[in-house]
């Protein structure tokens, strides 16, 4: 799920949903050279924040990195 406007958005959901939303957002923005990720919404317990970051790193980052290499190559 994507919330916000083109300058400031929030993306949440399953890894597949996040990949889809982030890919569309990055393409619409004409590419990005960095992302700022905030994973501790609303006082989440540390173990849930850690699990969220680990899931993002394992499932989402590799796909976005492959997409970036495809665009650059």
């Amino acid at each position: 799920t994507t919330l916000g406007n083109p300058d400031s958005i929030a993306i949440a959901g399953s890894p597949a949903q996040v990949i889809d939303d982030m890919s569309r957002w990055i393409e619409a923005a004409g590419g990005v050279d960095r992302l700022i990720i905030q994973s501790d919404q609303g006082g989440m317990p540390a173990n849930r924040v850690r699990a969220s970051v680990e899931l993002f790193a394992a499932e989402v980052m590799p796909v976005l990195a492959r997409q970036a290499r495809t665009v650059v190559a």
Side-chain angles (χ1 to χ4, degrees), residues 11-58:
I11 296 175
S14 70
Q17 291 169 316
V18 170
I19 290 166
D20 184 55
D21 285 354
M22 288 186 79
S23 296
R24 284 188 285 116
W25 180 79
I26 291 167
E27 183 177 338
V32 298
D33 59 0
R34 67 184 57 109
L35 294 169
I36 299 172
I37 307 297
Q38 181 175 350
S39 297
D40 61 339
Q41 300 298 317
M44 285 173 52
N47 62 328
R48 289 196 54 206
V49 174
R50 188 176 310 106
S52 177
V53 170
E54 289 172 354
L55 184 61
F56 184 84

